[in-house]
Amino acid sequence: MRRMPQIAHMDVNCFYASAERAFNPSLEHKPVIVLSNNDGCAVTRSPEAKALGIPMGEPWFKLAPRAKEWGLVALSSNYELYGDISARVMELLGRYSAWLEVYSIDEAFLGVKGSPAELLALGRSMKAAVRRNVGVPVCVGIAPTKTLAKLANKWAKNNPVFGGVCHWDSVPSLEREGLMGRLSVIEIWGVAARLTRRLNALGIHSILDLSRANPVMIRDRFSIVMMRTVLELQGTPCIPLEEERIGRDQLIFSRSFATPVTTAAGIRQVLSVYGQQASARLAKHGLQAKVLTAFAGTSHYNPKDTSYPSVCVPLPMPTADPVILTRAAHALLPQITEGIRYARAGIMVTDLRPTGNQKPLSLFENPHEERGVGTLLENVTRRYGRGSIGLGHAGIKTGLDWTMKRDMLSPRYTTHWDELPLVKAA
């Protein structure tokens, strides 16, 4: 009876589409796609949509003419709904383990213990609880390492015999080797196309080949990261659970415009909004930035007007002050050409460091930062929604034609009072 620590990997199936179906059961068994920003491309496809041969990233304008023929339902990205559903799933999973790592909006790792039978029962319990209490389907993979747990999850999702839950050590070794031998190395966590080609050149084509490789040779030929992957495939844990994934070294705020912006005043408003959002996000995570980069650009499909201005602004001190960040972003404005149809703009803050690491001299203190203006913006936005508060040009309520296009947006059932679902009993 094995009771060594194990890792469970939970992944929501077709997350965006599943979140939509949780509040709209009429979408069950229909081909559903969820579109990217500005209703551009398919970023999530239900199994029925995949069966139609719709590839990931297919532009909506190519699919629209045949949507009625296929019975295809297209929806705009409802980020408010998806974020809330994700939070509910993660809160529920936290009841099953003292150690939970939220890896992305739709997947998480949990530290678990028990015999194979106990772990299988735990996985089935988690799967049933999420389906019953949140309304979305999940699959669970359990293994001694993160890499194997993700592989077990993939197997559980694509092999009905597991019923959505796979415990790696409970599967006979010959079957495990058969699976690993059939899967290309590109299917493994962290291996992309370029790395796959380099591995293929060494005769490593399948995941089984990689698991049998010499870890030291892989380290010398590639990196310590790849060596860890090999060791994880061999059953040696090398990638620890992380309590929180905040240690990013940059934050980017950028989006394509629904309607091109052709004036410096319009770009000023865009940069003001992003400067405010950057301040709120930095304050939320207790971070400050030392460098800000602002940029804009025309569409790649507009050969007449080509303009890609950018500016890098070193800040006088590490800061999350919305006024300083917005002023720094406005340094891009002299490079904006009136009349040019800009398709996107954004800002990036880098050289991030924890707040309070080094207290500035009184001569350089920011009154807005001392008063917690960034934190105030974050609190008000979280409670009343984006656009509820703004500083300067970011607070102007007119002229927001550049904001994201979402013509097929479903109701934000759980985050907006006037869009709450109605239940009628006959």
Side-chain angles (χ1 to χ4, degrees), residues 205-232:
H205 298 277
S206 68
I207 295 177
L208 183 62
D209 294 335
L210 185 61
S211 71
R212 292 174 172 174
N214 185 318
V216 177
M217 182 273 292
I218 293 294
R219 181 198 63 190
D220 294 340
R221 294 280 189 117
F222 297 92
S223 66
I224 188 72
V225 175
M226 273 305 301
M227 184 184 78
R228 289 172 183 158
T229 297
V230 173
L231 290 172
E232 289 248 323

Side-chain angles (χ1 to χ4, degrees), residues 280-306:
R281 186 72 62 82
L282 289 169
K284 176 181 179 181
H285 294 302
L287 296 172
Q288 294 177 321
K290 189 67 173 62
V291 179
L292 181 143
T293 301
F295 55 90
T298 53
S299 171
H300 296 290
Y301 302 101
N302 179 13
K304 289 185 178 180
D305 298 328
T306 303

Side-chain angles (χ1 to χ4, degrees), residues 126-198:
M126 287 192 293
K127 181 178 183 292
V130 173
R131 183 62 165 172
R132 180 178 63 252
N133 296 314
V134 185
V136 294
V138 304
C139 286
V140 181
I142 304 173
T145 71
K146 277 186 172 181
T147 304
L148 288 176
K150 283 185 71 80
L151 192 58
N153 192 309
K154 183 188 292 287
W155 205 1
K157 187 172 295 186
N158 296 304
N159 194 331
V161 72
F162 290 105
V165 179
C166 173
H167 179 236
W168 187 255
D169 289 342
S170 296
V171 180
S173 59
L174 288 179
E175 290 187 32
R176 296 200 304 259
E177 290 184 359
L179 166 71
M180 297 168 74
R182 293 192 299 270
L183 292 177
S184 166
V185 287
I186 200 171
E187 299 289 338
I188 205 65
W189 182 32
V191 177
R194 185 176 179 181
L195 188 53
T196 297
R197 290 192 293 270
R198 293 180 61 195

Side-chain angles (χ1 to χ4, degrees), residues 264 268 271 309 311 329-338 342:
R268 180 191 296 271
L271 297 175
V311 63
H330 288 174
L332 178 69
L333 297 176
Q335 300 185 36
I336 299 298
T337 304
E338 295 283 341
Y342 290 98

Side-chain angles (χ1 to χ4, degrees), residues 251-273:
L251 291 175
I252 301 176
F253 298 83
S254 175
R255 189 165 290 158
S256 298
F257 304 145
T259 302
V261 176
T262 59
T263 65
I267 295 294
R268 180 191 296 271
Q269 186 181 14
V270 175
L271 297 175
S272 298
V273 170

